[in-house]
Amino acid sequence: MKPKLYIENIVLIICFLFSFTSCKKIDEYNKEPDVEYLRDGIATSVAVGYCASVAMSAFRGNPLPSNMLFTKGNCNEFHCSGLIIINTSTQHPLPFNKNVGQIIIGGLWDQGNSGIISVVLVDISLLRGESILYGIYTVPVILQDDGSLLTLFAREDIIIGEGSDTILSLSFTKPQFDLEIERLNTEKPEDLYVAVKQNVWFVTVNQNHTFSEFLDDGITINGGGQMAEATDNTAGIIYHAVIETYLNYLACDKNPLDGQALIQYIVAGDQLDFKTLVLDFVDECDGKAKVIAATGKYIKWNGRKIPLYLN
């Protein structure tokens, strides 16, 4: 009898462990998708567009709100310099960011139609993970023929962790200045799967003819890549991309109102975990996006809506 009981106990234990493992696998498929890096990319792109809009207004002599101070520096035969200090608050927020702190923008501009800015963030975190985005270096911005602004930043422009205020001390010769502005002639991606590998984000800003108000700007983002080093208990990379993703903070402070996004996970643990999400942004201010395609462990999220946690 004892051997029989022993075997039965083993069978029960095996069944219990199998059941637990199966439940764990089911939980993994039901787990809400991680949108942190997409959220970081959108928030950073909006911040760059916001700073470009403020800088261009200052460069062109438009008055700034009471929470902003513009100090004009020296001018030479090629360009002028200047420094802008922005104090954010609940009354004057950085769009899609609730932190209260300072944004310091150093800039060079040529005849008010094009310029280069550097941005330092003080007590403001754009990233929600452990990484801290200190600032963004050498961001070109230009006034286009249709009146909109075009700017961009690349992965190498982003300063993660500690930085130095010397990034505000821009010094360019005329050829160097022109070469930096020339970056804006790079072709914008039109496909999510192309943009996700480029590590460049193009930001177009429509100032809506309110050159001293910046929360009503319409911002469109195209681009993508890896915002920061993405690691957890296993080694992995998380990419994101956005195409024609449109935001207007006054119209909706929770989510983009148009466009598409891609999140791509490549995680190497005991086995390769590859999963993707393709999202659709619609004109509903509910803080969510609709999943129009999903693979891997997120396959059950097809057709469902997921929160973006943008604000």
Side-chain angles (χ1 to χ4, degrees):
M1 290 295 292
K2 287 184 180 180
K4 184 178 180 181
L5 285 173
Y6 179 73
I7 294 172
E8 287 176 350
N9 288 338
I10 292 177
V11 171
L12 287 172
I13 292 171
I14 292 173
C15 289
F16 173 77
L17 291 175
F18 179 78
S19 175
F20 176 78
T21 303
S22 298
C23 289
K24 187 176 180 180
K25 287 184 177 180
I26 290 172
D27 288 341
E28 288 178 355
Y29 278 86
N30 289 328
K31 184 179 179 181
E32 185 178 286
D34 182 1
V35 298
E36 179 179 303
Y37 290 90
L38 172 63
R39 181 248 161 233
D40 289 349
I42 292 175
T44 303
S45 297
V46 169
V48 169
Y50 172 84
C51 291
S53 183
V54 171
M56 186 58 73
S57 283
F59 296 165
R60 295 177 63 80
N62 294 305
L64 298 179
S66 60
N67 67 310
M68 301 181 186
L69 176 65
F70 173 52
T71 303
K72 188 174 180 178
N74 298 322
C75 292
N76 59 34
E77 58 182 314
F78 302 125
H79 41 61
C80 296
S81 64
L83 188 72
I84 304 166
I85 298 176
I86 304 172
N87 293 299
T88 68
S89 65
T90 53
Q91 291 77 29
H92 300 283
L94 172 64
F96 303 102
N97 194 296
K98 294 181 178 180
N99 295 117
V100 173
Q102 276 191 338
I103 304 170
I104 306 174
I105 304 171
L108 299 174
W109 69 94
D110 177 12
Q111 304 299 322
N113 293 320
S114 61
I116 302 170
I117 62 173
S118 288
V119 179
V120 170
L121 304 171
V122 182
D123 296 327
I124 294 177
S125 177
L126 294 176
L127 309 182
R128 292 215 174 166
E130 295 181 1
S131 300
I132 297 175
L133 196 156
Y134 170 80
I136 304 171
Y137 189 53
T138 61
V139 177
V141 55
I142 191 168
L143 178 64
Q144 301 187 107
D145 292 339
D146 64 359
S148 66
L149 307 179
L150 177 63
T151 184
L152 66 76
F153 66 99
R155 178 64 183 85
E156 57 266 27
D157 298 319
I158 300 171
I159 301 173
I160 301 292
E162 296 183 357
S164 167
D165 290 346
T166 57
I167 73 169
L168 296 172
S169 303
L170 295 174
S171 179
F172 288 87
T173 64
K174 183 64 165 61
Q176 289 173 328
F177 183 93
D178 293 342
L179 186 62
E180 192 67 21
I181 298 298
E182 184 66 24
R183 294 170 62 192
L184 294 169
N185 290 325
T186 307
E187 188 174 354
K188 289 188 291 186
E190 298 180 354
D191 181 271
L192 287 169
Y193 291 92
V194 173
V196 78
K197 300 298 183 183
Q198 290 187 336
N199 279 325
V200 178
W201 292 262
F202 291 83
V203 184
T204 304
V205 182
N206 182 348
Q207 294 182 296
N208 289 315
H209 302 288
T210 56
F211 304 110
S212 299
E213 298 290 338
F214 305 102
L215 298 183
D216 68 342
D217 288 353
I219 295 179
T220 303
I221 312 168
N222 289 276
Q226 186 183 7
M227 277 297 303
E229 298 302 320
T231 59
D232 50 21
N233 294 330
T234 55
I237 301 175
I238 304 175
Y239 294 98
H240 80 273
V242 286
I243 294 293
E244 293 300 318
T245 295
Y246 175 78
L247 303 99
N248 184 302
Y249 184 74
L250 278 191
C252 178
D253 64 355
K254 296 180 176 65
N255 54 265
L257 298 171
D258 198 7
Q260 289 190 332
L262 169 71
I263 307 175
Q264 191 174 77
Y265 304 79
I266 305 174
V267 181
D270 295 333
Q271 57 184 358
L272 182 64
D273 182 9
F274 180 83
K275 49 188 179 253
T276 60
L277 286 171
V278 180
L279 306 176
D280 196 22
F281 302 120
V282 296
D283 192 4
E284 295 178 9
C285 194
D286 59 2
K288 298 180 180 181
K290 184 176 181 180
V291 179
I292 58 175
T295 65
K297 292 178 180 177
Y298 289 154
I299 194 167
K300 284 192 173 184
W301 288 86
N302 272 302
R304 298 166 66 180
K305 298 190 79 174
I306 58 173
L308 296 171
Y309 303 108
L310 263 179
N311 213 346

